[in-house]
Coordinates of all heavy atoms in Angstrom, one line a residue:
M4 N 8.4 -5.0 21.6 CA 8.0 -4.2 20.5 C 7.8 -2.7 21.0 O 7.1 -2.5 22.1 CB 6.8 -4.7 19.8 CG 6.6 -4.0 18.4 SD 5.3 -4.7 17.4 CE 6.0 -6.3 17.1
A5 N 8.3 -1.7 20.3 CA 8.2 -0.3 20.8 C 7.0 0.4 19.9 O 6.6 -0.1 18.9 CB 9.5 0.4 20.6
Y6 N 6.7 1.5 20.5 CA 5.7 2.5 19.8 C 6.4 3.6 19.2 O 7.4 4.1 19.7 CB 4.6 2.9 20.7 CG 3.7 2.0 21.1 CD1 3.8 1.2 22.3 CD2 2.5 1.6 20.3 CE1 2.9 0.3 22.7 CE2 1.6 0.6 20.7 CZ 1.9 -0.1 21.9 OH 1.0 -1.0 22.3
F7 N 6.0 4.0 17.9 CA 6.7 5.1 17.2 C 5.6 6.0 16.7 O 4.6 5.6 16.3 CB 7.5 4.6 16.0 CG 8.6 3.6 16.4 CD1 8.5 2.3 16.5 CD2 9.9 4.2 16.7 CE1 9.6 1.6 16.9 CE2 10.9 3.4 17.1 CZ 10.8 2.1 17.1
L8 N 5.9 7.3 16.7 CA 5.0 8.3 16.1 C 5.4 8.5 14.7 O 6.6 9.0 14.5 CB 5.0 9.6 16.9 CG 4.2 10.7 16.4 CD1 2.7 10.3 16.3 CD2 4.4 12.0 17.1
V9 N 4.7 8.1 13.7 CA 5.0 8.3 12.3 C 4.1 9.3 11.7 O 2.9 9.2 11.7 CB 4.8 6.9 11.5 CG1 5.2 7.1 10.1 CG2 5.7 5.8 12.2
T10 N 4.8 10.3 11.1 CA 4.0 11.4 10.5 C 4.5 11.8 9.1 O 5.7 11.6 8.8 CB 4.1 12.8 11.4 OG1 5.5 13.1 11.5 CG2 3.6 12.6 12.8
Q11 N 3.6 12.2 8.3 CA 3.9 12.7 7.0 C 3.3 14.0 6.7 O 2.1 14.2 7.0 CB 3.3 11.5 6.0 CG 3.7 11.8 4.6 CD 2.9 12.8 3.7 OE1 1.8 13.0 4.0 NE2 3.6 13.4 2.8
T12 N 4.1 15.0 6.3 CA 3.6 16.3 6.2 C 3.7 16.7 4.6 O 4.8 16.4 4.0 CB 4.4 17.3 7.0 OG1 4.4 16.9 8.3 CG2 3.9 18.7 6.8
S13 N 2.6 17.2 4.0 CA 2.6 17.6 2.7 C 2.1 19.1 2.6 O 1.1 19.5 3.3 CB 1.7 16.7 1.9 OG 2.1 15.5 1.8
L14 N 2.6 19.9 1.6 CA 2.1 21.2 1.4 C 1.3 21.0 0.1 O 1.8 20.5 -1.0 CB 3.2 22.1 1.1 CG 2.8 23.6 0.7 CD1 2.0 24.2 1.7 CD2 4.0 24.4 0.4
V15 N -0.1 21.3 0.2 CA -1.0 20.9 -0.9 C -1.8 22.2 -1.2 O -2.2 22.9 -0.4 CB -2.0 19.8 -0.4 CG1 -2.9 19.5 -1.5 CG2 -1.3 18.6 0.0
E16 N -1.8 22.4 -2.5 CA -2.7 23.5 -2.9 C -4.1 23.0 -3.3 O -4.2 22.1 -4.0 CB -2.0 24.1 -4.2 CG -2.8 25.3 -4.7 CD -2.2 26.0 -6.0 OE1 -1.2 25.4 -6.4 OE2 -2.7 27.0 -6.4
A17 N -5.2 23.7 -2.7 CA -6.4 23.2 -2.8 C -7.4 24.4 -2.5 O -7.0 25.4 -2.0 CB -6.7 22.0 -1.9
Q18 N -8.7 24.1 -2.9 CA -9.8 25.1 -2.8 C -10.2 25.2 -1.3 O -10.6 26.3 -0.8 CB -10.9 24.8 -3.6 CG -10.6 24.9 -5.1 CD -10.3 26.2 -5.5 OE1 -10.9 27.3 -5.1 NE2 -9.4 26.3 -6.5
D19 N -10.2 24.0 -0.6 CA -10.6 24.1 0.8 C -10.0 22.8 1.5 O -9.2 22.1 1.0 CB -12.2 23.9 0.9 CG -12.8 22.8 0.2 OD1 -12.0 21.7 0.0 OD2 -14.0 22.7 -0.2
E20 N -10.3 22.8 2.9 CA -9.7 21.7 3.6 C -10.0 20.2 3.2 O -9.2 19.4 3.2 CB -10.1 21.9 5.2 CG -9.6 23.1 5.9 CD -10.5 24.3 5.6 OE1 -11.5 24.3 4.8 OE2 -10.1 25.4 6.2
Q21 N -11.3 20.1 2.8 CA -11.7 18.8 2.4 C -10.8 18.4 1.1 O -10.4 17.2 1.0 CB -13.2 18.8 2.0 CG -13.7 17.4 1.5 CD -13.6 16.3 2.5 OE1 -13.8 16.6 3.7 NE2 -13.4 15.1 2.1
E22 N -10.7 19.3 0.2 CA -10.0 18.9 -1.0 C -8.5 18.8 -0.8 O -7.8 17.9 -1.3 CB -10.1 20.1 -2.1 CG -9.4 19.9 -3.4 CD -9.6 21.1 -4.4 OE1 -10.8 21.6 -4.4 OE2 -8.7 21.4 -5.0
A23 N -7.9 19.5 0.2 CA -6.6 19.4 0.6 C -6.4 18.1 1.2 O -5.4 17.3 1.0 CB -6.1 20.5 1.5
A24 N -7.3 17.5 2.1 CA -7.2 16.4 2.8 C -7.2 15.2 1.7 O -6.4 14.3 1.8 CB -8.3 16.2 3.9
Q25 N -8.2 15.4 0.8 CA -8.3 14.3 -0.2 C -7.0 14.2 -1.1 O -6.6 13.2 -1.4 CB -9.5 14.6 -1.1 CG -9.8 13.5 -2.1 CD -10.2 12.2 -1.5 OE1 -11.1 12.3 -0.6 NE2 -9.6 11.1 -1.8
A26 N -6.4 15.3 -1.4 CA -5.2 15.3 -2.2 C -4.0 14.7 -1.4 O -3.2 13.9 -2.0 CB -4.8 16.7 -2.6
G27 N -4.0 14.9 -0.1 CA -2.9 14.3 0.7 C -3.1 12.9 0.8 O -2.2 12.1 0.7
V28 N -4.3 12.4 1.0 CA -4.6 11.0 1.2 C -4.4 10.3 -0.3 O -3.8 9.2 -0.3 CB -6.1 10.7 1.6 CG1 -6.4 9.2 1.5 CG2 -6.2 11.2 3.1
D29 N -4.8 10.9 -1.3 CA -4.5 10.4 -2.7 C -3.1 10.2 -3.0 O -2.7 9.1 -3.5 CB -5.2 11.2 -3.7 CG -6.7 11.2 -3.7 OD1 -7.3 10.3 -3.0 OD2 -7.3 12.1 -4.4
R30 N -2.3 11.1 -2.5 CA -0.8 10.9 -2.7 C -0.3 9.8 -2.0 O 0.5 8.9 -2.5 CB -0.1 12.2 -2.3 CG 1.3 12.1 -2.4 CD 2.0 13.5 -2.2 NE 3.5 13.4 -2.6 CZ 4.4 13.2 -1.6 NH1 4.1 13.2 -0.4 NH2 5.7 13.2 -2.0
L31 N -0.8 9.6 -0.7 CA -0.3 8.4 0.0 C -0.7 7.1 -0.5 O 0.0 6.1 -0.6 CB -0.8 8.4 1.5 CG -0.1 9.6 2.3 CD1 -0.9 9.6 3.7 CD2 1.4 9.3 2.5
R32 N -2.0 7.1 -1.0 CA -2.6 5.8 -1.6 C -2.1 5.6 -3.0 O -2.1 4.5 -3.5 CB -4.1 5.9 -1.7 CG -4.7 5.9 -0.5 CD -6.2 6.1 -0.5 NE -6.9 5.9 0.8 CZ -8.1 6.2 1.0 NH1 -8.9 6.8 0.1 NH2 -8.6 6.1 2.2
S33 N -1.4 6.5 -3.6 CA -0.9 6.3 -5.0 C 0.2 5.3 -5.1 O 0.6 4.7 -6.2 CB -0.4 7.7 -5.6 OG 0.8 8.0 -5.0
G34 N 0.9 5.1 -4.0 CA 1.9 4.0 -3.9 C 3.3 4.6 -4.3 O 4.3 3.9 -4.5
G35 N 3.4 6.0 -4.5 CA 4.5 6.6 -4.8 C 5.5 6.7 -3.5 O 5.1 6.4 -2.5
Q36 N 6.7 7.2 -3.8 CA 7.6 7.4 -2.8 C 7.2 8.4 -1.8 O 6.6 9.4 -2.1 CB 9.0 7.7 -3.4 CG 10.1 8.1 -2.3 CD 11.4 8.4 -3.0 OE1 11.8 7.6 -3.8 NE2 12.0 9.4 -2.6
V37 N 7.2 8.2 -0.4 CA 6.8 9.0 0.6 C 7.9 9.3 1.6 O 8.5 8.2 2.0 CB 5.5 8.5 1.2 CG1 5.0 9.4 2.4 CG2 4.4 8.4 0.2
T38 N 8.1 10.5 2.1 CA 9.1 10.7 3.2 C 8.2 10.9 4.5 O 7.3 11.6 4.5 CB 9.9 12.0 2.9 OG1 10.6 11.7 1.6 CG2 10.9 12.2 4.0
V39 N 8.7 10.2 5.6 CA 7.9 10.3 6.8 C 8.9 10.6 7.9 O 10.1 10.3 7.7 CB 7.2 9.0 7.1 CG1 6.0 8.7 6.2 CG2 8.0 7.8 7.3
S40 N 8.5 11.2 9.0 CA 9.3 11.4 10.1 C 8.9 10.3 11.2 O 7.7 10.1 11.4 CB 9.0 12.8 10.8 OG 9.4 13.8 9.8
V41 N 9.8 9.8 11.8 CA 9.7 8.7 12.8 C 10.2 9.2 14.1 O 11.4 9.4 14.2 CB 10.3 7.3 12.4 CG1 9.9 6.3 13.4 CG2 9.8 6.9 11.0
K42 N 9.3 9.3 15.2 CA 9.8 9.7 16.4 C 9.7 8.6 17.4 O 8.6 8.1 17.7 CB 8.9 10.9 16.9 CG 9.3 11.7 18.1 CD 8.5 12.9 18.3 CE 8.9 13.7 19.4 NZ 8.2 14.9 19.6
S43 N 10.8 8.3 18.0 CA 10.8 7.2 19.0 C 10.8 7.7 20.4 O 10.3 7.1 21.4 CB 12.1 6.3 18.9 OG 13.2 7.1 19.0
D44 N 11.2 9.0 20.6 CA 11.1 9.5 22.0 C 11.0 11.1 21.8 O 11.0 11.5 20.7 CB 12.3 9.2 23.0 CG 13.6 9.4 22.4 OD1 13.7 10.4 21.8 OD2 14.6 8.7 22.7
E45 N 11.3 11.9 22.9 CA 11.1 13.3 22.7 C 12.3 14.0 21.9 O 12.2 15.1 21.4 CB 11.1 14.0 24.1 CG 9.9 13.6 24.9 CD 8.6 14.1 24.2 OE1 8.6 15.3 23.7 OE2 7.6 13.4 24.1
T46 N 13.5 13.3 21.9 CA 14.5 13.9 21.2 C 15.0 13.3 19.9 O 15.6 13.9 19.0 CB 15.8 13.9 22.0 OG1 16.1 12.6 22.4 CG2 15.5 14.8 23.4
A47 N 14.7 12.0 19.7 CA 15.1 11.3 18.5 C 14.0 11.3 17.4 O 13.0 10.6 17.5 CB 15.4 9.8 18.9
I48 N 14.3 11.9 16.3 CA 13.4 12.0 15.1 C 14.4 11.5 13.9 O 15.3 12.1 13.7 CB 12.9 13.3 14.9 CG1 12.1 13.8 16.0 CG2 12.1 13.4 13.5 CD1 11.5 15.2 15.9
T49 N 13.8 10.6 13.2 CA 14.4 10.1 12.1 C 13.6 10.3 10.8 O 12.4 9.9 10.8 CB 14.7 8.5 12.2 OG1 15.5 8.3 13.4 CG2 15.6 8.0 11.1
H50 N 14.1 10.7 9.7 CA 13.5 10.9 8.5 C 13.7 9.7 7.6 O 14.9 9.3 7.3 CB 13.8 12.2 7.8 CG 13.5 13.4 8.6 ND1 12.3 14.0 8.7 CD2 14.2 14.1 9.4 CE1 12.3 15.0 9.4 NE2 13.4 15.2 9.9
V51 N 12.6 9.0 7.2 CA 12.8 7.9 6.4 C 12.0 8.1 5.1 O 10.9 8.5 5.0 CB 12.1 6.7 7.2 CG1 12.2 5.3 6.4 CG2 12.7 6.5 8.5
I52 N 12.7 7.6 4.0 CA 11.9 7.6 2.8 C 11.4 6.1 2.5 O 12.2 5.2 2.4 CB 12.9 8.0 1.6 CG1 13.4 9.4 1.8 CG2 12.3 7.9 0.2 CD1 14.5 9.9 0.9
V53 N 10.1 6.0 2.3 CA 9.5 4.7 2.0 C 9.4 4.7 0.5 O 8.8 5.5 -0.2 CB 8.2 4.7 2.7 CG1 7.5 3.3 2.3 CG2 8.3 4.8 4.2
A54 N 10.0 3.7 -0.1 CA 10.0 3.4 -1.6 C 8.6 3.2 -2.1 O 7.7 2.8 -1.4 CB 10.9 2.3 -1.9
A55 N 8.5 3.5 -3.4 CA 7.2 3.3 -4.0 C 6.8 1.9 -4.0 O 7.7 0.9 -4.1 CB 7.3 3.8 -5.5
V56 N 5.5 1.6 -4.0 CA 5.0 0.3 -4.2 C 5.2 -0.3 -5.6 O 4.7 0.4 -6.5 CB 3.5 0.2 -3.7 CG1 2.9 -1.2 -3.9 CG2 3.3 0.7 -2.3
V57 N 5.7 -1.5 -5.6 CA 5.8 -2.1 -7.0 C 4.9 -3.3 -7.0 O 5.1 -4.2 -6.2 CB 7.3 -2.6 -7.2 CG1 7.4 -3.3 -8.6 CG2 8.2 -1.4 -7.0
E58 N 3.9 -3.1 -7.8 CA 2.9 -4.3 -8.0 C 3.6 -5.4 -8.8 O 4.0 -5.1 -10.0 CB 1.7 -3.7 -8.6 CG 0.9 -2.9 -7.8 CD 0.2 -3.6 -6.6 OE1 -0.2 -4.7 -6.7 OE2 0.0 -3.0 -5.5
E59 N 3.5 -6.6 -8.3 CA 3.9 -7.6 -9.1 C 2.7 -8.4 -9.7 O 1.7 -8.6 -9.1 CB 4.6 -8.7 -8.1 CG 5.9 -8.2 -7.5 CD 6.5 -9.3 -6.6 OE1 6.2 -10.5 -6.7 OE2 7.4 -8.9 -5.8
P60 N 2.8 -8.6 -11.0 CA 1.6 -9.3 -11.6 C 1.4 -10.7 -11.1 O 2.4 -11.4 -10.8 CB 2.0 -9.3 -13.1 CG 3.5 -9.2 -13.2 CD 3.9 -8.4 -11.9
L61 N 0.2 -11.2 -11.0 CA -0.1 -12.4 -10.5 C 0.4 -13.5 -11.5 O 0.3 -13.2 -12.8 CB -1.6 -12.7 -10.3 CG -2.2 -12.0 -9.1 CD1 -3.6 -12.1 -9.1 CD2 -1.6 -12.4 -7.8
P62 N 1.0 -14.6 -11.1 CA 1.6 -15.6 -12.2 C 0.4 -16.1 -12.8 O -0.8 -16.4 -12.3 CB 2.3 -16.5 -11.2 CG 1.7 -16.4 -9.9 CD 1.2 -14.9 -9.7
L63 N 0.6 -16.4 -14.1 CA -0.5 -17.1 -15.0 C -0.4 -18.6 -14.7 O 0.6 -19.2 -14.5 CB -0.2 -16.9 -16.5 CG -0.4 -15.4 -17.0 CD1 0.1 -15.3 -18.4 CD2 -1.7 -15.0 -16.8
S64 N -1.5 -19.2 -14.7 CA -1.7 -20.6 -14.6 C -1.2 -21.2 -15.9 O -1.2 -20.5 -16.9 CB -3.1 -21.0 -14.2 OG -4.0 -20.7 -15.3
R65 N -0.9 -22.5 -15.9 CA -0.5 -23.2 -17.1 C -1.5 -23.0 -18.2 O -1.3 -22.8 -19.4 CB -0.2 -24.6 -16.9 CG 1.1 -24.7 -16.1 CD 1.4 -26.2 -15.9 NE 2.5 -26.3 -15.0 CZ 2.6 -27.1 -14.0 NH1 1.7 -28.0 -13.8 NH2 3.7 -27.2 -13.2
S66 N -2.9 -23.1 -17.8 CA -3.9 -23.1 -18.9 C -4.0 -21.6 -19.5 O -4.3 -21.5 -20.7 CB -5.3 -23.5 -18.3 OG -5.7 -22.6 -17.2
E67 N -3.8 -20.6 -18.7 CA -3.9 -19.3 -19.3 C -2.7 -18.9 -20.1 O -2.8 -18.2 -21.2 CB -3.9 -18.2 -18.0 CG -5.2 -18.3 -17.3 CD -5.1 -17.3 -16.0 OE1 -4.0 -17.2 -15.6 OE2 -6.1 -16.9 -15.6
A68 N -1.5 -19.6 -19.8 CA -0.3 -19.3 -20.6 C -0.5 -20.0 -22.0 O 0.0 -19.6 -23.0 CB 0.9 -19.8 -19.9
A69 N -1.1 -21.1 -21.9 CA -1.3 -22.0 -23.1 C -2.3 -21.5 -24.0 O -2.3 -21.6 -25.2 CB -1.5 -23.5 -22.8
D70 N -3.5 -20.8 -23.5 CA -4.5 -20.3 -24.2 C -4.7 -18.8 -24.1 O -5.4 -18.4 -23.2 CB -5.8 -21.1 -23.9 CG -7.1 -20.6 -24.6 OD1 -6.9 -20.0 -25.7 OD2 -8.1 -20.8 -24.1
P71 N -4.1 -18.0 -24.9 CA -4.1 -16.6 -24.8 C -5.4 -15.9 -25.3 O -5.4 -14.8 -25.7 CB -2.8 -16.1 -25.5 CG -2.6 -17.1 -26.6 CD -3.2 -18.4 -26.0
S72 N -6.4 -16.7 -25.4 CA -7.8 -16.1 -26.0 C -8.3 -15.2 -25.0 O -8.0 -15.2 -23.8 CB -8.7 -17.2 -26.2 OG -9.1 -17.8 -25.0
P73 N -9.2 -14.2 -25.4 CA -9.7 -13.2 -24.5 C -10.5 -13.8 -23.3 O -10.6 -13.3 -22.3 CB -10.7 -12.4 -25.4 CG -10.2 -12.7 -26.9 CD -9.6 -14.0 -26.8
A74 N -11.2 -15.0 -23.7 CA -11.9 -15.6 -22.5 C -10.9 -16.0 -21.5 O -11.3 -16.2 -20.2 CB -12.7 -16.9 -23.0
A75 N -9.7 -16.4 -21.8 CA -8.7 -16.8 -20.8 C -8.3 -15.6 -19.9 O -7.8 -15.9 -18.8 CB -7.5 -17.4 -21.5
A76 N -8.5 -14.4 -20.4 CA -8.1 -13.3 -19.5 C -9.0 -13.0 -18.4 O -8.7 -12.2 -17.6 CB -7.9 -12.0 -20.5
I77 N -10.2 -13.5 -18.5 CA -11.2 -13.2 -17.3 C -11.0 -14.3 -16.3 O -11.1 -15.5 -16.6 CB -12.6 -13.3 -17.9 CG1 -12.8 -12.3 -19.0 CG2 -13.7 -13.1 -16.8 CD1 -14.1 -12.4 -19.8
P78 N -10.7 -13.9 -15.0 CA -10.6 -14.9 -14.0 C -11.8 -15.6 -13.6 O -12.9 -14.9 -13.6 CB -9.9 -14.1 -12.9 CG -10.3 -12.7 -13.2 CD -10.5 -12.6 -14.6
E79 N -11.7 -16.8 -13.3 CA -12.9 -17.6 -13.0 C -12.8 -17.7 -11.4 O -11.8 -17.9 -10.9 CB -12.9 -18.9 -13.6 CG -13.0 -18.9 -15.0 CD -13.1 -20.3 -15.7 OE1 -13.3 -21.3 -14.9 OE2 -12.8 -20.4 -16.9
A80 N -14.1 -17.8 -10.8 CA -14.0 -18.0 -9.3 C -13.9 -19.5 -9.2 O -14.6 -20.4 -9.7 CB -15.5 -17.6 -8.7
G81 N -12.8 -19.9 -8.5 CA -12.6 -21.4 -8.4 C -11.3 -21.5 -7.6 O -10.8 -20.6 -7.0
P82 N -10.8 -22.7 -7.4 CA -9.6 -22.9 -6.7 C -8.4 -22.1 -7.2 O -8.2 -21.9 -8.4 CB -9.2 -24.4 -6.8 CG -10.4 -25.0 -7.6 CD -11.2 -23.9 -8.1
T83 N -7.6 -21.5 -6.2 CA -6.5 -20.6 -6.5 C -5.2 -21.5 -6.2 O -5.1 -22.2 -5.2 CB -6.5 -19.4 -5.8 OG1 -7.8 -18.8 -5.9 CG2 -5.5 -18.4 -6.2
A84 N -4.2 -21.3 -7.0 CA -3.0 -21.9 -6.7 C -2.4 -21.4 -5.3 O -2.5 -20.2 -5.1 CB -2.0 -21.7 -7.9
P85 N -1.7 -22.3 -4.6 CA -1.1 -21.8 -3.3 C -0.2 -20.6 -3.5 O -0.3 -19.8 -2.6 CB -0.4 -23.1 -2.9 CG -1.0 -24.2 -3.6 CD -1.5 -23.7 -4.9
E86 N 0.5 -20.5 -4.5 CA 1.5 -19.4 -4.7 C 0.7 -18.1 -4.9 O 1.0 -17.1 -4.3 CB 2.4 -19.6 -5.9 CG 3.3 -20.9 -5.9 CD 2.5 -22.1 -6.3 OE1 1.5 -22.0 -7.1 OE2 2.9 -23.2 -5.9
S87 N -0.4 -18.2 -5.6 CA -1.3 -17.0 -5.8 C -2.0 -16.6 -4.5 O -2.1 -15.5 -4.2 CB -2.4 -17.3 -6.8 OG -1.8 -17.5 -8.1
R88 N -2.4 -17.5 -3.7 CA -3.0 -17.3 -2.4 C -2.0 -16.7 -1.5 O -2.4 -15.7 -0.8 CB -3.5 -18.6 -1.8 CG -4.8 -18.9 -2.3 CD -5.3 -20.2 -1.4 NE -5.9 -21.1 -2.4 CZ -5.8 -22.4 -2.3 NH1 -5.1 -23.0 -1.3 NH2 -6.3 -23.2 -3.1
K89 N -0.8 -17.0 -1.6 CA 0.2 -16.5 -0.7 C 0.4 -15.0 -1.1 O 0.5 -14.2 -0.2 CB 1.5 -17.2 -0.7 CG 1.5 -18.5 0.0 CD 2.9 -19.3 -0.1 CE 2.8 -20.6 0.5 NZ 4.0 -21.3 0.4
L90 N 0.5 -14.7 -2.4 CA 0.7 -13.4 -2.9 C -0.5 -12.5 -2.5 O -0.4 -11.4 -2.1 CB 0.9 -13.4 -4.4 CG 1.3 -12.0 -5.1 CD1 2.5 -11.3 -4.4 CD2 1.4 -12.2 -6.5
I91 N -1.7 -13.0 -2.7 CA -2.9 -12.2 -2.3 C -2.9 -12.0 -0.8 O -3.2 -10.8 -0.4 CB -4.2 -13.0 -2.7 CG1 -4.3 -13.1 -4.2 CG2 -5.5 -12.4 -2.2 CD1 -5.3 -14.0 -4.8
L92 N -2.7 -13.0 0.0 CA -2.6 -12.8 1.4 C -1.6 -11.7 1.8 O -1.7 -10.9 2.7 CB -2.5 -14.1 2.2 CG -3.7 -15.0 2.1 CD1 -3.3 -16.4 2.8 CD2 -4.7 -14.4 2.9
K93 N -0.4 -11.8 1.2 CA 0.7 -10.8 1.5 C 0.2 -9.4 1.2 O 0.5 -8.5 2.0 CB 1.9 -11.2 0.6 CG 3.2 -10.8 1.2 CD 4.3 -11.1 0.2 CE 5.2 -12.1 0.8 NZ 6.4 -12.4 -0.1
R94 N -0.5 -9.2 0.1 CA -1.0 -7.9 -0.3 C -2.1 -7.5 0.6 O -2.2 -6.3 1.0 CB -1.6 -7.9 -1.6 CG -0.6 -7.9 -2.7 CD -1.1 -8.0 -4.1 NE -0.1 -8.1 -5.2 CZ -0.3 -8.3 -6.4 NH1 -1.5 -8.4 -6.8 NH2 0.7 -8.3 -7.3
M95 N -3.0 -8.4 1.0 CA -4.0 -8.1 2.0 C -3.4 -7.6 3.4 O -3.9 -6.7 3.9 CB -5.0 -9.3 2.2 CG -5.8 -9.5 1.1 SD -6.8 -11.0 1.2 CE -7.9 -10.7 2.5
K96 N -2.4 -8.3 3.8 CA -1.7 -8.0 5.1 C -1.1 -6.6 4.9 O -1.2 -5.8 5.9 CB -0.7 -9.0 5.3 CG 0.1 -8.8 6.7 CD 1.1 -9.9 7.0 CE 1.9 -9.7 8.2 NZ 2.9 -10.6 8.3
A97 N -0.5 -6.3 3.9 CA 0.2 -5.0 3.7 C -0.8 -3.9 3.7 O -0.6 -2.9 4.3 CB 1.0 -4.9 2.4
D98 N -2.0 -4.2 3.0 CA -3.1 -3.2 2.9 C -3.7 -3.0 4.4 O -3.9 -1.9 4.8 CB -4.1 -3.5 2.0 CG -3.8 -3.4 0.6 OD1 -2.8 -2.9 0.3 OD2 -4.4 -4.1 -0.3
A99 N -3.8 -4.0 5.2 CA -4.3 -3.9 6.5 C -3.4 -3.1 7.3 O -3.8 -2.2 8.1 CB -4.6 -5.3 7.1
L100 N -2.1 -3.5 7.3 CA -1.1 -2.8 8.1 C -1.1 -1.3 7.7 O -1.0 -0.4 8.6 CB 0.3 -3.4 7.9 CG 0.4 -4.7 8.6 CD1 1.7 -5.4 8.2 CD2 0.3 -4.7 10.1
A101 N -1.1 -1.0 6.4 CA -1.2 0.4 6.0 C -2.4 1.1 6.5 O -2.3 2.3 7.0 CB -1.2 0.5 4.5
L102 N -3.6 0.5 6.5 CA -4.8 1.1 7.1 C -4.6 1.3 8.5 O -5.1 2.4 9.1 CB -5.9 0.3 6.8 CG -6.4 0.3 5.4 CD1 -7.5 -0.8 5.1 CD2 -7.0 1.6 4.9
L103 N -4.1 0.4 9.3 CA -3.9 0.5 10.7 C -2.9 1.7 11.0 O -3.1 2.4 12.0 CB -3.3 -0.8 11.3 CG -4.3 -1.9 11.5 CD1 -3.7 -3.1 11.9 CD2 -5.5 -1.5 12.4
G104 N -1.9 1.8 10.2 CA -0.9 2.9 10.4 C -1.5 4.2 10.2 O -1.2 5.3 10.8
R105 N -2.6 4.3 9.3 CA -3.2 5.6 9.0 C -4.1 6.0 10.1 O -4.4 7.3 10.3 CB -4.0 5.6 7.7 CG -3.1 5.5 6.5 CD -3.9 5.6 5.2 NE -3.2 5.2 4.1 CZ -3.4 4.4 3.1 NH1 -4.7 3.8 3.1 NH2 -2.7 4.2 2.1
R106 N -4.6 5.1 10.9 CA -5.6 5.4 12.0 C -4.9 6.1 13.0 O -5.6 6.8 13.9 CB -6.3 4.2 12.5 CG -7.3 3.7 11.5 CD -8.3 2.7 12.1 NE -7.7 1.9 13.2 CZ -8.3 0.9 13.7 NH1 -9.5 0.6 13.4 NH2 -7.7 0.3 14.7
T107 N -3.6 5.8 13.3 CA -3.0 6.4 14.5 C -2.2 7.7 14.2 O -2.1 8.2 13.1 CB -1.9 5.4 15.0 OG1 -0.9 5.1 13.9 CG2 -2.4 4.1 15.5

């Protein structure tokens, strides 16, 4: 596995550095399309467009689909279907990788 320098540059209008930094981070966190530069060595730079994040709704359990009452819309703490766990873990992994990518 190789190391890459991944950078994202934005021109942001703001009152001060803190506000500019917050606006830049908010744009990245919004899940919208972002263009980054990927540098693998001193001469090779590739510009990559990362697509917007598309949130998939969690699948409804059979009981929620059968009973559309307001009480059914409130999730209960209890056993989760394996498919839902996989989706949740997938999202957690993506978030963790995104956070690790921001630290470097």
Side-chain angles (χ1 to χ4, degrees):
M4 190 174 295
Y6 288 96
F7 297 92
L8 177 61
V9 179
T10 57
Q11 189 278 332
T12 304
S13 297
L14 179 60
V15 177
E16 184 177 3
Q18 297 294 325
D19 57 22
E20 290 86 357
Q21 181 65 35
E22 185 179 315
Q25 187 65 52
V28 170
D29 288 346
R30 180 168 184 260
L31 289 172
R32 289 181 177 165
S33 72
Q36 178 176 310
V37 177
T38 303
V39 296
S40 298
V41 181
K42 189 173 183 178
S43 58
D44 59 32
E45 293 299 317
T46 59
I48 298 176
T49 305
H50 297 281
V51 178
I52 297 174
V53 180
V56 174
V57 179
E58 289 288 328
E59 296 178 16
L61 291 173
L63 293 176
S64 68
R65 289 186 187 135
S66 62
E67 289 173 333
D70 181 15
S72 68
I77 301 170
E79 296 179 17
T83 308
E86 299 81 25
S87 296
R88 279 192 222 136
K89 286 181 183 178
L90 183 58
I91 292 168
L92 289 173
K93 208 183 240 188
R94 288 181 181 169
M95 289 172 64
K96 181 180 175 185
D98 289 345
L100 291 173
L102 288 172
L103 286 173
R105 289 186 192 136
R106 288 194 330 186
T107 58

